[in-house]
Amino acid sequence: MINEITDLADERVAVYGRLTEAQLRNRLDPANAVFIAESPKVIDVALRAGYEPLSLLCERRHINGDARDIIARCGDIPVYTGERALLAGLTGYMLTRGVLCAMRRPAGRTAAEVCRNARRVAVIDSVTDTTNIGAIFRSAAALGMDAVLLTRTSCDPLNRRSVRVSMGSVFLIPWAWLDGPAVSALHALGFRTAAMALTDRSVGIDDAALRAEERLGIILGTEGDGLEQSVIDASDYVVKIPMAYGVDSLNVAAASAIAFWELKNN
């Protein structure tokens, strides 16, 4: 059903503009928690992965254009529309290809569940930049990681921007939150750990011992300070990527892609 929006205060579209990410997650009532997927391509990946759409927000000109197939696939859900400037006033940004979809947030999985048959997992420790989260997920899915684990101090993978930057990869690769220190949690799950950090005891990313590990967790730290010393000290390996021209490190998203490619399952 197409619904014309003329008032930014319309409660039916509050989910697209006035609710914060924390309110969307709705921890007090997880059954009603939602997230926002942006652009037809990303929404398509979510639908194919089985995520449930609740409503669509779409520029009027895209109803019979970029959004047409998505609208048809979503069945009998509300489709809210209006002029481009009005919708931008609601959301605070111009819509990517003119379409947003509110989707039901799935029940969370445990680390034990997503790692049950995993041999290589990416571990995101205290990364708070939404763009980096999305890029890490995209690399993890593309380069053969079996799962992604995140500390509670990391950004939500279902944040709108993280979802868009990942191009929907957050819907494809299993992921879960870690409760407690990352290294001890991984050891309890039967993994050896490789902390990505530059220290005196760091081994090269191409070290044969790393590839020989049956189950390995690759731990990536925050953008500015990297991993905490306690994480580095507790890890089985500390791993570096060789650099040239005096450069000491890469952005965490770039480093993750190199690490995943080099250490993926053979």
Side-chain angles (χ1 to χ4, degrees):
M1 182 193 321
I2 306 297
N3 299 269
E4 185 77 20
I5 299 299
T6 58
D7 184 356
L8 297 182
D10 192 319
E11 284 298 320
R12 295 176 297 173
V13 292
V15 68
Y16 294 104
R18 294 197 303 282
L19 299 187
T20 65
E21 287 289 338
Q23 289 171 321
L24 292 175
R25 290 176 68 177
N26 200 359
R27 289 179 175 174
L28 296 179
D29 186 10
N32 289 314
V34 301
F35 68 92
I36 305 299
E38 181 180 0
S39 87
K41 184 172 182 178
V42 171
I43 296 167
D44 172 68
V45 175
L47 292 174
R48 286 191 284 110
Y51 284 73
E52 179 188 354
L54 301 174
S55 67
L56 288 159
L57 183 70
C58 177
E59 290 179 20
R60 188 183 298 111
R61 66 193 180 99
H62 288 299
I63 290 176
N64 293 312
D66 287 346
R68 180 180 57 194
D69 292 343
I70 292 295
I71 291 171
R73 289 173 58 193
C74 284
D76 190 23
I77 65 171
V79 178
Y80 301 108
T81 191
E83 295 296 339
R84 190 179 196 211
L86 177 74
L87 299 188
L90 171 67
T91 61
Y93 52 88
M94 290 297 182
L95 279 59
T96 302
R97 294 186 65 189
V99 191
L100 297 178
C101 184
M103 297 188 132
R104 191 176 307 282
R105 180 180 284 265
R109 302 173 68 182
T110 67
E113 287 174 326
V114 302
C115 291
R116 184 165 292 121
N117 298 311
R119 294 184 56 219
R120 293 291 185 271
V121 298
V123 185
I124 300 174
D125 190 338
S126 303
V127 176
T128 57
D129 183 273
T130 55
T131 298
N132 282 336
I133 291 286
I136 293 169
F137 264 81
R138 190 173 184 181
S139 293
L143 299 175
M145 293 297 102
D146 298 313
V148 178
L149 303 176
L150 305 96
T151 63
R152 294 284 182 179
T153 49
S154 296
C155 177
D156 177 21
L158 293 183
N159 172 283
R160 178 190 64 84
R161 184 164 178 79
S162 296
V163 169
R164 181 165 68 82
V165 171
S166 82
M167 292 304 294
S169 295
V170 295
F171 308 131
L172 302 178
I173 187 168
W175 63 271
W177 295 107
L178 281 174
D179 291 310
V183 175
S184 58
L186 284 160
H187 285 164
L189 292 169
F191 287 87
R192 299 270 280 174
T193 53
M196 300 298 299
L198 186 62
T199 72
D200 291 339
R201 72 180 181 97
S202 297
V203 299
I205 191 75
D206 58 350
D207 192 288
L210 292 167
R211 282 190 171 274
E213 290 291 350
E214 181 66 23
R215 308 184 84 198
L216 188 66
I218 302 163
I219 308 177
L220 303 152
T222 185
E223 298 83 352
D225 299 326
L227 292 168
E228 291 187 2
Q229 191 62 45
S230 60
V231 176
I232 295 170
D233 291 343
S235 294
D236 300 298
Y237 299 93
V238 185
V239 182
K240 65 182 178 181
I241 299 170
M243 301 283 171
Y245 292 101
V247 177
D248 62 355
S249 64
L250 295 173
N251 166 274
V252 65
S256 74
I258 294 171
F260 299 159
W261 170 257
E262 188 68 32
L263 300 175
K264 67 180 179 178
N265 292 329
N266 294 322

